[in-house]
Amino acid sequence: MALRFLILAFAILAMASSVAHASDPSQLQDFCVAINDSKAAVFVNGKICKNPMEVNADDFLFQGLNKPGNLSNPLGSAVTAVNVNNLEGLNTLGISLARIDFAPYGLNPPHTHPRATEVLTVLEGTLYVGFVLSNPAPGMKNKLFTKTLYPGDVFVFPEGLIHFQFNIGHSNAIAFAGLSSQNPGVITIANAVFGSDPPINPDVLTKAFQVENKVIEYLQSQFWYNNNNN
């Protein structure tokens, strides 16, 4: 019996380890500074590595997060992302960062990060934030978790779940977010559904949203703004 429990314990530990590393893999060396070369002959799950002998301190430096994003857009928000695409030293390290600026009543609209959990902290302003659970039980709706955040508050958005941030204050707001991937990705829901190229067949969306065709055609005709500065 004791041997069975020991084997089971090792199996659970192995599964837990597998889940914990289900996103970005751990690095097998001190660093792997990325080479941003679209014509590179080698493709890997991430970026190919720069010759370590050619790496310098600038490969690990990004400057500019002290500067606010441009808020003169329909959403009144701007995301300044720091990921492997603009900081090559992040390659294989499984982490990235973003600054999010909000005008009064500015919105970072419902979106997901398919490869990362996000932890957000507010520096200035008041944000109403939330995320929606997946896979509701039969007969139930997707549960919404929301909170009003003030300077110094921290909130977590689990990997892959739809979430948002909305400035409910009368002044600008600033938040910083850490993400558990070197390249978390972002899918803004409205943009992806109604602004895809080519457009999704309106018959699909009419049935999915249970509205008239003219509503879908109107939504697909709109300009869907991207507030992410990568």
Side-chain angles (χ1 to χ4, degrees):
M1 180 67 78
L3 180 59
R4 289 182 180 180
F5 276 113
L6 184 60
I7 293 172
L8 179 60
F10 275 115
I12 293 172
L13 285 172
M15 286 188 292
S17 176
S18 175
V19 171
H21 293 88
S23 290
D24 291 4
S26 297
Q27 67 271 21
L28 300 177
Q29 55 214 30
D30 287 343
F31 53 76
C32 173
V33 173
I35 297 176
N36 282 325
D37 183 0
S38 61
K39 298 180 180 179
V42 179
F43 295 89
V44 294
N45 187 19
K47 305 276 188 178
I48 62 175
C49 300
K50 186 177 182 179
N51 185 334
M53 299 302 294
E54 298 176 2
V55 171
N56 59 64
D58 287 339
D59 291 318
F60 302 95
L61 174 68
F62 178 93
Q63 295 176 306
L65 281 192
N66 59 318
K67 300 175 182 178
N70 183 359
L71 299 178
S72 59
N73 61 69
L75 294 172
S77 69
V79 179
T80 305
V82 182
N83 54 44
V84 71
N85 295 317
N86 53 18
L87 180 54
E88 291 81 2
L90 285 175
N91 195 40
T92 74
L93 300 185
I95 193 169
S96 58
L97 177 70
R99 169 177 174 151
I100 314 170
D101 291 281
F102 301 84
Y105 308 109
L107 172 70
N108 192 15
H111 62 280
T112 72
H113 301 294
R115 294 180 290 276
T117 291
E118 174 182 344
V119 56
L120 180 108
T121 184
V122 177
L123 270 68
E124 297 178 13
T126 305
L127 296 180
Y128 170 71
V129 307
F131 67 87
V132 182
L133 292 187
S134 65
N135 299 327
M140 304 291 288
K141 295 183 178 180
N142 295 71
K143 187 172 182 178
L144 171 67
F145 290 83
T146 63
K147 206 71 179 176
T148 299
L149 305 183
Y150 303 94
D153 289 349
V154 176
F155 197 79
V156 174
F157 305 102
E159 179 175 341
L161 298 186
I162 296 174
H163 60 283
F164 60 86
Q165 300 104 24
F166 181 48
N167 181 8
I168 59 175
H170 301 288
S171 59
N172 286 4
I174 304 171
F176 277 78
L179 299 112
S180 61
S181 171
Q182 67 181 38
N183 190 18
V186 60
I187 302 172
T188 304
I189 306 305
N191 299 34
V193 173
F194 300 111
S196 65
D197 183 19
I200 297 174
N201 187 320
D203 292 340
V204 173
L205 299 181
T206 298
K207 195 171 187 67
F209 289 94
Q210 296 292 290
V211 296
E212 295 181 4
N213 187 271
K214 62 182 180 181
V215 175
I216 299 300
E217 290 179 348
Y218 169 77
L219 290 170
Q220 289 186 320
S221 70
Q222 302 304 298
F223 174 76
W224 295 97
Y225 185 82
N226 178 13
N227 68 336
N228 280 268
N229 176 21
N230 291 313

